[in-house]
Tab-separated table of all heavy atoms in Angstrom:
chain	number	residue	atom	x	y	z
A	967	MET	N	93.048	521.623	77.284
A	967	MET	CA	92.464	520.721	76.104
A	967	MET	C	92.338	519.433	76.607
A	967	MET	O	93.211	518.793	77.310
A	967	MET	CB	93.416	520.967	75.043
A	967	MET	CG	93.027	520.237	73.766
A	967	MET	SD	94.169	520.716	72.423
A	967	MET	CE	93.370	519.869	71.116
A	968	GLU	N	91.199	518.795	76.306
A	968	GLU	CA	90.979	517.391	76.648
A	968	GLU	C	91.690	516.477	75.745
A	968	GLU	O	91.794	516.640	74.528
A	968	GLU	CB	89.461	517.241	76.498
A	968	GLU	CG	88.999	515.786	76.833
A	968	GLU	CD	87.471	515.651	76.587
A	968	GLU	OE1	86.728	516.597	76.876
A	968	GLU	OE2	87.061	514.564	76.170
A	969	SER	N	92.423	515.460	76.374
A	969	SER	CA	93.085	514.508	75.616
A	969	SER	C	92.259	513.271	75.473
A	969	SER	O	91.632	512.849	76.475
A	969	SER	CB	94.445	514.230	76.211
A	969	SER	OG	94.277	513.513	77.412
A	970	ARG	N	92.281	512.744	74.306
A	970	ARG	CA	91.468	511.578	74.003
A	970	ARG	C	92.465	510.476	73.452
A	970	ARG	O	93.283	510.825	72.595
A	970	ARG	CB	90.419	511.739	73.080
A	970	ARG	CG	89.249	512.514	73.756
A	970	ARG	CD	88.012	512.555	72.805
A	970	ARG	NE	88.255	513.314	71.669
A	970	ARG	CZ	87.396	513.483	70.630
A	970	ARG	NH1	86.300	512.854	70.583
A	970	ARG	NH2	87.768	514.132	69.551
A	971	ALA	N	92.391	509.263	73.903
A	971	ALA	CA	93.129	508.211	73.371
A	971	ALA	C	92.652	507.925	71.937
A	971	ALA	O	91.495	507.957	71.621
A	971	ALA	CB	92.991	506.889	74.252
A	972	LYS	N	93.586	507.754	70.982
A	972	LYS	CA	93.266	507.452	69.710
A	972	LYS	C	92.671	506.027	69.637
A	972	LYS	O	93.339	505.134	70.246
A	972	LYS	CB	94.476	507.554	68.733
A	972	LYS	CG	94.889	509.069	68.488
A	972	LYS	CD	95.998	509.003	67.478
A	972	LYS	CE	96.416	510.424	67.128
A	972	LYS	NZ	97.459	510.516	66.208
A	973	SER	N	91.610	505.955	68.979
A	973	SER	CA	91.053	504.567	68.852
A	973	SER	C	90.497	504.443	67.416
A	973	SER	O	90.109	505.357	66.818
A	973	SER	CB	90.001	504.286	69.845
A	973	SER	OG	88.861	505.125	69.609
A	974	ARG	N	90.594	503.168	66.987
A	974	ARG	CA	90.106	502.874	65.601
A	974	ARG	C	88.661	502.572	65.742
A	974	ARG	O	88.181	502.077	66.815
A	974	ARG	CB	90.800	501.595	65.074
A	974	ARG	CG	92.332	501.865	64.921
A	974	ARG	CD	93.023	500.631	64.491
A	974	ARG	NE	92.368	500.074	63.266
A	974	ARG	CZ	92.964	499.089	62.578
A	974	ARG	NH1	93.904	498.445	63.111
A	974	ARG	NH2	92.471	498.763	61.450
A	975	PRO	N	87.910	502.991	64.680
A	975	PRO	CA	86.462	502.668	64.780
A	975	PRO	C	86.217	501.175	64.739
A	975	PRO	O	86.960	500.401	64.350
A	975	PRO	CB	85.948	503.200	63.378
A	975	PRO	CG	87.076	503.818	62.702
A	975	PRO	CD	88.326	503.608	63.509
A	976	GLU	N	85.200	500.881	65.585
A	976	GLU	CA	84.884	499.359	65.751
A	976	GLU	C	84.340	498.798	64.463
A	976	GLU	O	83.363	499.373	63.956
A	976	GLU	CB	83.847	499.321	66.864
A	976	GLU	CG	83.648	497.857	67.386
A	976	GLU	CD	82.661	497.904	68.529
A	976	GLU	OE1	81.438	498.140	68.366
A	976	GLU	OE2	83.118	497.721	69.684
A	977	ALA	N	84.952	497.710	64.030
A	977	ALA	CA	84.425	497.082	62.768
A	977	ALA	C	83.092	496.375	63.049
A	977	ALA	O	83.072	495.749	64.158
A	977	ALA	CB	85.441	496.120	62.204
A	978	ARG	N	82.140	496.529	62.232
A	978	ARG	CA	80.961	495.772	62.344
A	978	ARG	C	80.973	494.467	61.531
A	978	ARG	O	81.526	494.498	60.390
A	978	ARG	CB	79.771	496.731	61.844
A	978	ARG	CG	79.553	497.918	62.587
A	978	ARG	CD	78.828	497.590	63.861
A	978	ARG	NE	78.776	498.796	64.858
A	978	ARG	CZ	78.385	498.724	65.944
A	978	ARG	NH1	77.671	497.672	66.385
A	978	ARG	NH2	78.308	499.723	66.733
A	979	CYS	N	80.337	493.537	62.030
A	979	CYS	CA	80.182	492.195	61.286
A	979	CYS	C	78.994	492.368	60.248
A	979	CYS	O	77.916	492.439	60.692
A	979	CYS	CB	79.946	491.079	62.162
A	979	CYS	SG	79.733	489.487	61.370
A	980	PRO	N	79.268	492.222	59.020
A	980	PRO	CA	78.215	492.302	57.969
A	980	PRO	C	77.281	491.126	58.101
A	980	PRO	O	76.087	491.081	57.706
A	980	PRO	CB	78.945	492.245	56.674
A	980	PRO	CG	80.377	492.629	56.899
A	980	PRO	CD	80.636	492.059	58.410
A	981	ILE	N	77.697	489.929	58.710
A	981	ILE	CA	76.970	488.819	58.744
A	981	ILE	C	75.947	488.806	59.970
A	981	ILE	O	74.950	488.172	60.011
A	981	ILE	CB	77.830	487.526	59.010
A	981	ILE	CG1	78.872	487.398	57.927
A	981	ILE	CG2	77.006	486.231	59.059
A	981	ILE	CD1	78.341	487.421	56.506
A	982	ARG	N	76.282	489.686	61.017
A	982	ARG	CA	75.437	489.766	62.183
A	982	ARG	C	75.095	491.249	62.274
A	982	ARG	O	75.844	491.945	63.084
A	982	ARG	CB	76.192	489.218	63.440
A	982	ARG	CG	76.496	487.734	63.309
A	982	ARG	CD	77.182	487.244	64.484
A	982	ARG	NE	78.528	488.043	64.647
A	982	ARG	CZ	78.979	488.345	65.859
A	982	ARG	NH1	78.356	487.915	66.937
A	982	ARG	NH2	80.144	488.935	65.913
A	983	PRO	N	74.165	491.777	61.537
A	983	PRO	CA	73.845	493.150	61.646
A	983	PRO	C	73.685	493.709	63.022
A	983	PRO	O	73.095	493.187	63.803
A	983	PRO	CB	72.443	493.286	60.868
A	983	PRO	CG	72.468	492.053	60.050
A	983	PRO	CD	73.215	490.959	60.846
A	984	GLY	N	74.365	494.895	63.195
A	984	GLY	CA	74.423	495.501	64.523
A	984	GLY	C	75.365	495.013	65.563
A	984	GLY	O	75.535	495.571	66.582
A	985	GLU	N	76.070	493.960	65.107
A	985	GLU	CA	77.147	493.402	66.098
A	985	GLU	C	78.498	493.743	65.624
A	985	GLU	O	78.811	493.886	64.398
A	985	GLU	CB	76.937	491.876	66.134
A	985	GLU	CG	75.652	491.355	66.574
A	985	GLU	CD	75.455	491.550	68.081
A	985	GLU	OE1	76.426	491.517	68.713
A	985	GLU	OE2	74.319	491.897	68.473
A	986	PRO	N	79.384	493.868	66.607
A	986	PRO	CA	80.727	494.183	66.191
A	986	PRO	C	81.494	492.919	65.705
A	986	PRO	O	81.044	491.787	65.961
A	986	PRO	CB	81.476	494.577	67.569
A	986	PRO	CG	80.606	493.942	68.581
A	986	PRO	CD	79.231	493.851	68.031
A	987	CYS	N	82.483	493.055	64.855
A	987	CYS	CA	83.348	491.879	64.512
A	987	CYS	C	84.089	491.478	65.642
A	987	CYS	O	84.722	492.210	66.415
A	987	CYS	CB	84.255	492.289	63.472
A	987	CYS	SG	85.452	490.998	62.968
A	988	THR	N	83.953	490.206	66.010
A	988	THR	CA	84.625	489.543	67.119
A	988	THR	C	85.843	488.656	66.618
A	988	THR	O	86.331	487.897	67.429
A	988	THR	CB	83.707	488.668	68.035
A	988	THR	OG1	83.094	487.693	67.060
A	988	THR	CG2	82.570	489.597	68.589
A	989	LEU	N	86.223	488.773	65.436
A	989	LEU	CA	87.307	487.982	64.953
A	989	LEU	C	86.991	486.456	65.119
A	989	LEU	O	87.938	485.803	65.488
A	989	LEU	CB	88.587	488.385	65.531
A	989	LEU	CG	88.991	489.941	65.337
A	989	LEU	CD1	90.293	490.178	65.970
A	989	LEU	CD2	89.030	490.282	63.867
A	990	CYS	N	85.766	486.045	64.883
A	990	CYS	CA	85.442	484.675	65.109
A	990	CYS	C	86.018	483.706	64.137
A	990	CYS	O	85.944	482.448	64.378
A	990	CYS	CB	83.862	484.550	65.225
A	990	CYS	SG	83.014	484.735	63.602
A	991	GLN	N	86.453	484.131	63.024
A	991	GLN	CA	87.046	483.247	61.955
A	991	GLN	C	88.542	483.246	62.227
A	991	GLN	O	89.118	484.170	62.714
A	991	GLN	CB	86.654	483.810	60.590
A	991	GLN	CG	85.246	483.840	60.328
A	991	GLN	CD	84.548	482.434	60.352
A	991	GLN	OE1	84.940	481.552	59.713
A	991	GLN	NE2	83.472	482.354	61.125
A	992	LEU	N	89.162	482.165	61.746
A	992	LEU	CA	90.531	481.887	61.883
A	992	LEU	C	91.426	482.842	61.086
A	992	LEU	O	91.007	482.935	59.843
A	992	LEU	CB	90.920	480.445	61.656
A	992	LEU	CG	92.205	479.922	62.144
A	992	LEU	CD1	92.267	479.929	63.654
A	992	LEU	CD2	92.359	478.461	61.688
A	993	ASP	N	92.400	483.428	61.520
A	993	ASP	CA	93.416	484.187	60.761
A	993	ASP	C	92.727	485.456	60.010
A	993	ASP	O	93.142	485.664	58.958
A	993	ASP	CB	94.137	483.376	59.787
A	993	ASP	CG	95.011	482.343	60.476
A	993	ASP	OD1	95.443	482.542	61.514
A	993	ASP	OD2	95.329	481.291	59.924
A	994	VAL	N	91.828	486.020	60.675
A	994	VAL	CA	91.266	487.245	60.039
A	994	VAL	C	91.718	488.515	60.887
A	994	VAL	O	91.856	488.381	62.040
A	994	VAL	CB	89.609	487.213	59.885
A	994	VAL	CG1	89.268	486.062	59.069
A	994	VAL	CG2	89.100	487.287	61.191
A	995	THR	N	91.626	489.654	60.197
A	995	THR	CA	91.991	490.919	60.979
A	995	THR	C	90.739	491.783	60.961
A	995	THR	O	90.702	492.784	61.552
A	995	THR	CB	93.122	491.736	60.296
A	995	THR	OG1	92.709	492.027	58.904
A	995	THR	CG2	94.355	490.911	60.163
A	996	GLY	N	89.608	491.351	60.373
A	996	GLY	CA	88.396	492.023	60.404
A	996	GLY	C	87.554	491.617	59.199
A	996	GLY	O	87.842	490.673	58.485
A	997	PRO	N	86.349	492.316	58.969
A	997	PRO	CA	85.479	492.016	57.910
A	997	PRO	C	86.133	491.993	56.550
A	997	PRO	O	85.752	491.321	55.545
A	997	PRO	CB	84.372	492.944	58.045
A	997	PRO	CG	84.402	493.382	59.331
A	997	PRO	CD	85.800	493.418	59.859
A	998	GLN	N	87.112	492.789	56.427
A	998	GLN	CA	87.788	493.011	55.132
A	998	GLN	C	88.561	491.815	54.612
A	998	GLN	O	88.643	491.660	53.359
A	998	GLN	CB	88.808	494.256	55.147
A	998	GLN	CG	89.939	494.107	56.060
A	998	GLN	CD	89.763	494.319	57.537
A	998	GLN	OE1	88.603	494.670	57.885
A	998	GLN	NE2	90.645	494.157	58.296
A	999	ASP	N	88.960	490.957	55.450
A	999	ASP	CA	89.595	489.682	54.970
A	999	ASP	C	88.950	488.467	55.609
A	999	ASP	O	89.562	487.403	55.686
A	999	ASP	CB	91.052	489.678	55.327
A	999	ASP	CG	91.448	489.831	56.708
A	999	ASP	OD1	90.480	489.887	57.565
A	999	ASP	OD2	92.631	489.805	57.070
A	1000	CYS	N	87.633	488.574	55.907
A	1000	CYS	CA	86.827	487.414	56.471
A	1000	CYS	C	86.375	486.583	55.307
A	1000	CYS	O	85.549	487.084	54.553
A	1000	CYS	CB	85.746	487.957	57.367
A	1000	CYS	SG	84.653	486.671	57.934
A	1001	GLY	N	86.694	485.333	55.314
A	1001	GLY	CA	86.213	484.469	54.202
A	1001	GLY	C	84.718	484.216	54.266
A	1001	GLY	O	84.096	484.089	53.197
A	1002	LEU	N	84.212	484.201	55.419
A	1002	LEU	CA	82.650	484.047	55.520
A	1002	LEU	C	81.966	485.260	54.962
A	1002	LEU	O	80.941	484.972	54.211
A	1002	LEU	CB	82.270	483.758	57.073
A	1002	LEU	CG	80.760	483.517	57.332
A	1002	LEU	CD1	80.396	482.323	56.547
A	1002	LEU	CD2	80.550	483.354	58.802
A	1003	VAL	N	82.384	486.362	55.237
A	1003	VAL	CA	81.872	487.651	54.721
A	1003	VAL	C	81.987	487.536	53.133
A	1003	VAL	O	81.014	487.881	52.399
A	1003	VAL	CB	82.520	488.940	55.152
A	1003	VAL	CG1	82.101	490.143	54.466
A	1003	VAL	CG2	82.112	489.090	56.718
A	1004	TYR	N	83.112	487.125	52.703
A	1004	TYR	CA	83.359	487.104	51.260
A	1004	TYR	C	82.352	486.197	50.528
A	1004	TYR	O	81.727	486.368	49.597
A	1004	TYR	CB	84.857	486.644	50.966
A	1004	TYR	CG	85.101	486.469	49.444
A	1004	TYR	CD1	85.502	487.505	48.722
A	1004	TYR	CD2	84.873	485.286	48.871
A	1004	TYR	CE1	85.777	487.391	47.360
A	1004	TYR	CE2	85.191	485.102	47.417
A	1004	TYR	CZ	85.605	486.202	46.769
A	1004	TYR	OH	85.837	486.070	45.415
A	1005	LEU	N	82.253	485.016	51.196
A	1005	LEU	CA	81.210	483.919	50.691
A	1005	LEU	C	79.856	484.419	50.662
A	1005	LEU	O	79.165	484.294	49.578
A	1005	LEU	CB	81.374	482.651	51.401
A	1005	LEU	CG	82.688	481.902	51.219
A	1005	LEU	CD1	82.748	480.633	52.185
A	1005	LEU	CD2	82.839	481.362	49.794
A	1006	VAL	N	79.436	485.024	51.750
A	1006	VAL	CA	78.042	485.453	51.821
A	1006	VAL	C	77.796	486.504	50.849
A	1006	VAL	O	76.729	486.557	50.196
A	1006	VAL	CB	77.648	485.878	53.235
A	1006	VAL	CG1	76.305	486.532	53.319
A	1006	VAL	CG2	77.691	484.637	54.181
A	1007	MET	N	78.680	487.479	50.801
A	1007	MET	CA	78.429	488.699	49.949
A	1007	MET	C	78.495	488.401	48.418
A	1007	MET	O	78.144	489.126	47.672
A	1007	MET	CB	79.389	489.853	50.345
A	1007	MET	CG	79.161	490.367	51.648
A	1007	MET	SD	77.442	490.799	51.898
A	1007	MET	CE	77.450	491.516	53.566
A	1008	HIS	N	79.141	487.273	48.130
A	1008	HIS	CA	79.253	486.898	46.650
A	1008	HIS	C	78.266	485.840	46.270
A	1008	HIS	O	78.275	485.272	45.226
A	1008	HIS	CB	80.707	486.330	46.448
A	1008	HIS	CG	81.647	487.496	46.262
A	1008	HIS	ND1	82.244	488.054	47.404
A	1008	HIS	CD2	82.201	488.246	45.355
A	1008	HIS	CE1	83.082	489.010	47.068
A	1008	HIS	NE2	83.008	489.236	45.854
A	1009	ASP	N	77.318	485.583	47.190
A	1009	ASP	CA	76.270	484.616	46.888
A	1009	ASP	C	74.882	485.288	46.926
A	1009	ASP	O	74.575	485.928	47.868
A	1009	ASP	CB	76.158	483.469	47.931
A	1009	ASP	CG	75.186	482.463	47.566
A	1009	ASP	OD1	73.946	482.788	47.787
A	1009	ASP	OD2	75.583	481.262	47.133
A	1010	ASP	N	74.239	485.427	45.733
A	1010	ASP	CA	73.049	486.166	45.661
A	1010	ASP	C	71.972	485.859	46.615
A	1010	ASP	O	71.292	486.730	47.317
A	1010	ASP	CB	72.508	486.068	44.186
A	1010	ASP	CG	73.332	486.791	43.136
A	1010	ASP	OD1	74.191	487.591	43.545
A	1010	ASP	OD2	73.185	486.374	41.952
A	1011	GLU	N	71.737	484.542	46.855
A	1011	GLU	CA	70.698	484.124	47.733
A	1011	GLU	C	71.042	484.470	49.216
A	1011	GLU	O	70.216	484.919	49.948
A	1011	GLU	CB	70.417	482.643	47.699
A	1011	GLU	CG	69.643	482.225	46.408
A	1011	GLU	CD	69.325	480.741	46.403
A	1011	GLU	OE1	69.086	480.190	47.459
A	1011	GLU	OE2	69.212	480.199	45.331
A	1012	LEU	N	72.303	484.242	49.591
A	1012	LEU	CA	72.646	484.537	51.000
A	1012	LEU	C	72.683	485.954	51.273
A	1012	LEU	O	72.271	486.420	52.330
A	1012	LEU	CB	74.101	483.877	51.194
A	1012	LEU	CG	74.240	482.427	51.233
A	1012	LEU	CD1	75.632	481.938	51.517
A	1012	LEU	CD2	73.307	481.772	52.356
A	1013	ARG	N	73.152	486.744	50.208
A	1013	ARG	CA	73.223	488.216	50.455
A	1013	ARG	C	71.764	488.702	50.519
A	1013	ARG	O	71.459	489.565	51.403
A	1013	ARG	CB	73.901	488.898	49.311
A	1013	ARG	CG	74.269	490.271	49.501
A	1013	ARG	CD	74.992	490.934	48.351
A	1013	ARG	NE	74.358	490.842	47.110
A	1013	ARG	CZ	74.775	490.064	46.037
A	1013	ARG	NH1	75.935	489.334	46.187
A	1013	ARG	NH2	74.121	490.042	44.931
A	1014	GLU	N	70.798	488.246	49.734
A	1014	GLU	CA	69.418	488.638	49.804
A	1014	GLU	C	68.765	488.237	51.188
A	1014	GLU	O	68.018	488.990	51.771
A	1014	GLU	CB	68.687	488.040	48.623
A	1014	GLU	CG	67.187	488.297	48.750
A	1014	GLU	CD	66.816	489.764	48.717
A	1014	GLU	OE1	67.609	490.544	48.146
A	1014	GLU	OE2	65.733	490.195	49.182
A	1015	GLY	N	69.121	486.982	51.708
A	1015	GLY	CA	68.718	486.604	53.017
A	1015	GLY	C	69.161	487.457	54.147
A	1015	GLY	O	68.501	487.807	55.008
A	1016	LEU	N	70.450	487.866	53.979
A	1016	LEU	CA	70.954	488.752	54.998
A	1016	LEU	C	70.375	490.116	54.936
A	1016	LEU	O	69.998	490.675	55.978
A	1016	LEU	CB	72.511	488.920	54.723
A	1016	LEU	CG	73.281	489.791	55.669
A	1016	LEU	CD1	73.255	489.208	57.073
A	1016	LEU	CD2	74.710	489.917	55.205
A	1017	HIS	N	69.981	490.604	53.747
A	1017	HIS	CA	69.323	491.818	53.542
A	1017	HIS	C	67.969	491.775	54.209
A	1017	HIS	O	67.518	492.715	54.921
A	1017	HIS	CB	69.296	492.199	52.140
A	1017	HIS	CG	68.576	493.455	51.853
A	1017	HIS	ND1	69.105	494.772	52.204
A	1017	HIS	CD2	67.324	493.805	51.314
A	1017	HIS	CE1	68.233	495.761	51.894
A	1017	HIS	NE2	67.148	495.159	51.360
A	1018	ARG	N	67.248	490.686	53.994
A	1018	ARG	CA	65.923	490.491	54.560
A	1018	ARG	C	65.946	490.541	56.052
A	1018	ARG	O	65.037	490.906	56.801
A	1018	ARG	CB	65.225	489.197	54.090
A	1018	ARG	CG	64.458	489.399	52.787
A	1018	ARG	CD	63.598	488.193	52.424
A	1018	ARG	NE	64.388	487.458	51.346
A	1018	ARG	CZ	64.912	486.316	51.472
A	1018	ARG	NH1	64.689	485.533	52.574
A	1018	ARG	NH2	65.463	485.674	50.555
A	1019	MET	N	67.068	489.895	56.720
A	1019	MET	CA	67.212	489.864	58.135
A	1019	MET	C	67.449	491.285	58.723
A	1019	MET	O	67.028	491.523	59.880
A	1019	MET	CB	68.405	488.955	58.554
A	1019	MET	CG	68.159	487.513	58.563
A	1019	MET	SD	69.637	486.513	58.713
A	1019	MET	CE	70.483	487.511	60.009
A	1020	SER	N	68.135	492.044	58.020
A	1020	SER	CA	68.454	493.378	58.538
A	1020	SER	C	67.489	494.533	58.296
A	1020	SER	O	67.549	495.587	58.943
A	1020	SER	CB	69.837	493.816	57.985
A	1020	SER	OG	69.770	493.892	56.565
A	1021	VAL	N	66.476	494.339	57.395
A	1021	VAL	CA	65.503	495.327	57.134
A	1021	VAL	C	64.192	494.781	57.503
A	1021	VAL	O	63.785	493.686	57.207
A	1021	VAL	CB	65.468	495.530	55.549
A	1021	VAL	CG1	64.386	496.554	55.254
A	1021	VAL	CG2	66.739	496.075	55.080
A	1022	PRO	N	63.484	495.534	58.435
A	1022	PRO	CA	62.149	495.135	58.956
A	1022	PRO	C	61.198	494.923	57.723
A	1022	PRO	O	61.239	495.757	56.796
A	1022	PRO	CB	61.745	496.365	59.772
A	1022	PRO	CG	62.908	497.198	60.046
A	1022	PRO	CD	63.934	496.860	59.002
A	1023	ASP	N	60.500	493.861	57.794
A	1023	ASP	CA	59.539	493.504	56.722
A	1023	ASP	C	58.264	494.156	56.841
A	1023	ASP	O	57.558	493.941	57.810
A	1023	ASP	CB	59.432	492.019	56.673
A	1023	ASP	CG	58.644	491.543	55.415
A	1023	ASP	OD1	58.142	492.425	54.685
A	1023	ASP	OD2	58.533	490.363	55.309
A	1024	ALA	N	57.976	495.035	55.979
A	1024	ALA	CA	56.637	495.851	56.059
A	1024	ALA	C	55.514	494.941	55.835
A	1024	ALA	O	54.400	495.313	56.358
A	1024	ALA	CB	56.700	496.981	54.946
A	1025	ALA	N	55.682	493.765	55.244
A	1025	ALA	CA	54.538	492.896	55.083
A	1025	ALA	C	54.101	492.240	56.294
A	1025	ALA	O	52.866	491.793	56.436
A	1025	ALA	CB	54.939	491.763	54.040
A	1026	ASP	N	54.916	492.282	57.413
A	1026	ASP	CA	54.515	491.692	58.682
A	1026	ASP	C	53.710	492.611	59.545
A	1026	ASP	O	53.238	492.249	60.520
A	1026	ASP	CB	55.811	491.242	59.379
A	1026	ASP	CG	56.443	490.096	58.825
A	1026	ASP	OD1	55.838	489.409	58.023
A	1026	ASP	OD2	57.631	489.898	59.217
A	1027	ARG	N	53.597	493.844	59.034
A	1027	ARG	CA	52.820	494.751	59.951
A	1027	ARG	C	51.370	494.756	59.734
A	1027	ARG	O	50.819	494.353	58.750
A	1027	ARG	CB	53.406	496.238	59.633
A	1027	ARG	CG	54.756	496.333	60.218
A	1027	ARG	CD	55.283	497.708	59.940
A	1027	ARG	NE	56.715	497.664	60.021
A	1027	ARG	CZ	57.531	498.502	59.548
A	1027	ARG	NH1	57.122	499.596	59.044
A	1027	ARG	NH2	58.903	498.374	59.670
B	1479	SF4	S1	85.445	487.416	61.615
B	1479	SF4	FE1	83.871	487.625	59.975
B	1479	SF4	S2	82.118	486.442	60.611
B	1479	SF4	FE2	83.407	486.774	62.375
B	1479	SF4	S3	82.579	488.570	63.432
B	1479	SF4	FE3	84.241	489.234	62.061
B	1479	SF4	S4	83.246	489.779	60.104
B	1479	SF4	FE4	81.803	488.563	61.261
């Protein structure tokens, strides 16, 4: 039987779509307690801007 080391799934940074969380903020353990993620996700304009960045714009085609 093949043994595999247990590993936790890599956390993704919601602010940088497609990128892993690099713990770039002070005193965070991941996106779940990241103050920047909290601020962006609780601001309608910033959240919409982030959504626009992560979804290809059909109007540009
Ligand atoms: S600490 Fe926050 S901003 Fe930094 S990579 Fe992780 S989730 Fe993204």
Side-chain angles (χ1 to χ4, degrees):
M967 183 172 182
E968 183 179 323
S969 71
R970 288 189 291 174
K972 287 185 178 178
S973 63
R974 297 174 61 175
E976 190 176 73
R978 296 280 171 184
C979 175
I981 307 301
R982 300 177 300 143
E985 298 288 327
C987 173
T988 57
L989 304 177
C990 70
Q991 301 296 305
L992 198 61
D993 292 333
V994 301
T995 61
Q998 67 278 0
D999 61 359
C1000 174
L1002 183 58
V1003 170
Y1004 179 87
L1005 289 174
V1006 170
M1007 293 308 180
H1008 285 81
D1009 182 286
D1010 291 343
E1011 285 185 32
L1012 292 178
R1013 194 176 57 246
E1014 176 60 26
L1016 183 61
H1017 181 69
R1018 270 188 260 115
M1019 281 174 39
S1020 60
V1021 175
D1023 190 353
D1026 289 344
R1027 292 181 198 163

